[in-house]
Amino acid sequence: MILVTGGAGFIGSNFVLDWLAQSDEPVINLDKLTYAGNLENLASLQGDSRHIFVQGDINDRALVESLLAQHTPRAIVHFAAESHVDRSIHGPEDFVITNVNGTFHLLEAARGYWSALSPAEKDAFRFLHVSTDEVYGSLGPNDPAFTETTPYAPNSPYSASKAASDHLVRAYHHTYGMPTLTTNCSNNYGPYQFPEKLIPLMIHNALTGKPLPIYGDGMNVRDWLYVSDHCSGIREVLGKGKLGETYNIGGWNEKPNLEIVHTLCDLLDELQPRADKQSYRSQITYVTDRPGHDRRYAIDARKIERELGWRPAETFDTGIRKTVQWYLQHGEWVEHIVNGSYRQWVEKQYRGLGTQD
Ligand code: NAD
Ligand code: DAU
């Protein structure tokens, strides 16, 4: 059994679905169900006894301690976080509460549990912390990509809170010997991404005839990774990663935002053309830039390839086409978010079926 936090969010739910598609090892999924948590992502696991969902907060140490004592997981995979940079600019407090305090409480509960395990169980236990490339700050156009030794220089309240959580995880390994692993990943895309993030937002706005808002000049660069590749990278690190180490995970796929939006428009022009036969590109609108907007991120993912043999399976061309097709086929999933009805999903459809709260 493994304990996953934040498994109703974008990456966490993809991870849980992939995990249970590949193994019968049960997952206990602890998620607070903030606005970003959506149990519709896990609808295919209804009635599956390998998935135990618990609605709760990682800051609730008594709850986490009781889950650890009851289910005795061999690992914790920690996704739960406030994850959206724009929201962190408007309201940083939640980011400190969940990303910093929440990780601290989770680490403390894990430390108490791990300390009391038998020597063999202690050796086998893992605490894997899922983090971001944003902790390394912003690159110039010719700077080398981020490696695991690039100094931390977070620029937004989000990335600062993630950096703080990374430091706590590092300290728990060095001070208490806890068997921790940290992954720092680049921008993910794929199914079940909340439509506040660039790619799903642009697809939704395009299809509903709204402007496609490009921040600044549209030339900020991100390194895009298909979400199932991130999940496979995490599984590799969990299985074979060296204790106390960090691993960068990236897609070798740097692109400016404008190019991403052009690609999305072109795919939509092909797969679901506008009634008036105009290109979706005509909806592109330049808007005021994000304050403190990092110019460029790029991940050097050679360590995870060299040491663990991981490389992404998808190219950007295959991943982005799959993603656009998924959103076209799952219009209801997006609609339930936009109209708010996804919040009632747990009440209507899910309660009592493999859930515990
Ligand atoms: P998300 O916002 O889609 O999901 C976060 C999940 O955490 C939600 O289900 C939410 O309900 C849950 N949550 C929030 N606060 C909680 C709390 N206090 N207790 C329990 N659950 C709580 O995020 P995501 O995009 O899936 O990101 C997952 C992790 O991966 C985060 O740690 C993020 O920093 C990291 N990450 C994300 C990306 C990306 O491109 N999305 C890239 C690199 C790293
Ligand atoms: O790099 C990893 C990070 O990627 C993760 O740690 C974060 O959790 C995740 O949200 C993501 O952060 P970004 O800020 O890079 O993602 P976002 O989708 O918000 O924005 C991507 C780029 O697109 C960024 O340069 C801002 C720009 N953008 C975004 C939105 C929502 C726009 O131009 N217009 C928009 O409407």
Side-chain angles (χ1 to χ4, degrees), residues 100-115:
V100 186
N101 297 0
T103 301
F104 165 70
H105 286 296
L106 189 67
L107 280 165
E108 274 295 89
R111 182 164 76 92
Y113 167 71
W114 170 75
S115 306

Side-chain angles (χ1 to χ4, degrees), residues 65-85:
E65 284 169 353
S66 83
L67 291 174
L68 292 172
Q70 186 186 349
H71 297 285
T72 60
R74 69 168 176 96
I76 296 175
V77 184
H78 176 34
F79 294 94
E82 289 293 337
S83 71
H84 191 36
V85 173

Side-chain angles (χ1 to χ4, degrees), residues 10-11 13-14 189-193 226-227 322-323 326-327 333:
F10 163 47
I11 305 173
S13 62
N14 275 282
Y189 68 100
Y192 301 118
Q193 187 165 30
Y226 193 64
V227 63
K322 278 189 191 175
T323 302
W326 189 89
Y327 282 93
W333 179 87

Side-chain angles (χ1 to χ4, degrees), residues 9-11 31-32 34 37 57-58 79 83 98 131 158 162 188:
F10 163 47
I11 305 173
D31 195 296
K32 186 178 174 183
T34 66
D57 192 328
I58 54 169
F79 294 94
S83 71
T98 285
S131 192
Y158 163 68
K162 291 297 290 188
N188 284 216

Side-chain angles (χ1 to χ4, degrees), residues 98-209:
T98 285
N99 301 359
V100 186
N101 297 0
T103 301
F104 165 70
H105 286 296
L106 189 67
L107 280 165
E108 274 295 89
R111 182 164 76 92
Y113 167 71
W114 170 75
S115 306
L117 291 174
S118 70
E121 288 167 333
K122 262 179 121 164
D123 276 354
F125 186 75
R126 297 288 180 271
F127 184 104
L128 191 151
H129 174 58
V130 179
S131 192
T132 172
D133 60 359
E134 300 201 10
V135 298
Y136 300 121
S138 185
L139 293 168
N142 300 315
D143 288 341
F146 302 130
T147 70
E148 289 77 2
T149 56
T150 300
Y152 274 34
N155 290 318
S156 71
Y158 163 68
S159 53
S161 67
K162 291 297 290 188
S165 67
D166 294 9
H167 292 324
L168 283 169
V169 172
R170 176 189 161 88
Y172 273 62
H173 174 71
H174 283 269
T175 305
Y176 304 114
M178 263 184 69
T180 63
L181 298 157
T182 297
T183 55
N184 294 86
C185 189
S186 62
N187 285 61
N188 284 216
Y189 68 100
Y192 301 118
Q193 187 165 30
F194 200 84
E196 64 185 354
K197 306 279 168 72
L198 180 74
I199 288 179
L201 179 121
M202 292 295 169
I203 297 172
H204 173 68
N205 281 15
L207 294 173
T208 50

